Amino acid sequence: MPSLLHYVLVRLAIGFAIGASSVLILTAFSISIFGSLRSWLELALMVWGIGSVFALGFLATALAMEN
């Protein structure tokens, strides 16, 4: 059981890091596909929202590609 938990948590963390970094890069270069983010709370919610979607997508892809 601990190896399964480790597998899931690592894949979720990697996916969240990919999603969060993509949002931060897009907002750092002022690409306005998300509209105007006026406060740090809006940015944090956007990072959390996109990061969680990427995390679940990365985990699902890793599970599907596993032998």
Side-chain angles (χ1 to χ4, degrees):
M1 184 66 175
S3 62
L4 174 65
L5 185 62
H6 180 263
Y7 180 84
V8 169
L9 289 178
V10 167
R11 297 317 185 266
L12 285 174
I14 291 170
F16 187 85
I18 292 170
S21 63
S22 66
V23 170
L24 292 174
I25 288 171
L26 288 175
T27 56
F29 290 119
S30 298
I31 299 174
S32 62
I33 60 171
F34 299 124
S36 62
L37 298 173
R38 290 169 282 196
S39 72
W40 64 270
L41 181 60
E42 291 172 336
L43 178 62
L45 288 174
M46 184 63 66
V47 167
W48 184 263
I50 301 294
S52 64
V53 170
F54 269 72
L56 289 177
F58 192 82
L59 176 63
T61 304
L63 289 172
M65 301 293 278
E66 190 70 25
N67 289 331

